[in-house]
Amino acid sequence: MGIIAWIILGLVAGLLARMLVPGKDSQGLIITLVLGIAGALLGGFVATQVFHVSGIQGFFNLSTWLCAIVGAAVLLLAYNLITGRRTGRRTGRWAGRR
């Protein structure tokens, strides 16, 4: 796949992952794009190592899109944990204040 295909795949996979992962999404388009591309790479690597199938086969292949979306969702969850974003609930001492 060419670089334009990777960018499109990453952007769409990142946007779909943002729809799948619950919580408030405050990251921008660039972070979504980076998480999507990295998720596609991560998903393809895991699919190759664990299931012994090529996860990134072509732009119009279903396994490529599934690996990219699942990988992006996993990275988005990790990103939310690292940056301290919660899943929509306000808890703690300052929960009632705005």
Side-chain angles (χ1 to χ4, degrees):
M1 287 194 310
I3 188 72
I4 301 298
W6 276 103
I7 291 171
I8 292 170
L9 175 71
L11 182 60
V12 173
L15 290 172
L16 289 173
R18 279 178 64 179
M19 290 181 359
L20 292 174
V21 174
K24 184 178 179 182
D25 296 326
S26 62
Q27 66 268 17
L29 195 61
I30 300 297
I31 297 294
T32 301
L33 176 66
V34 170
L35 287 174
I37 292 172
L41 293 172
L42 175 71
F45 177 75
V46 169
T48 302
Q49 297 298 316
V50 174
F51 301 114
H52 303 292
V53 296
S54 180
I56 308 295
Q57 295 178 355
F59 186 76
F60 294 107
N61 195 335
L62 181 62
S63 67
T64 300
W65 286 93
L66 290 177
C67 288
I69 293 167
V70 170
V74 168
L75 285 183
L76 183 60
L77 283 171
Y79 176 80
N80 288 343
L81 287 174
I82 290 170
T83 59
R85 291 184 170 80
R86 301 288 182 230
T87 59
R89 291 188 300 161
R90 296 183 75 176
T91 59
R93 181 175 172 186
W94 304 100
R97 301 180 185 181
R98 293 188 180 216

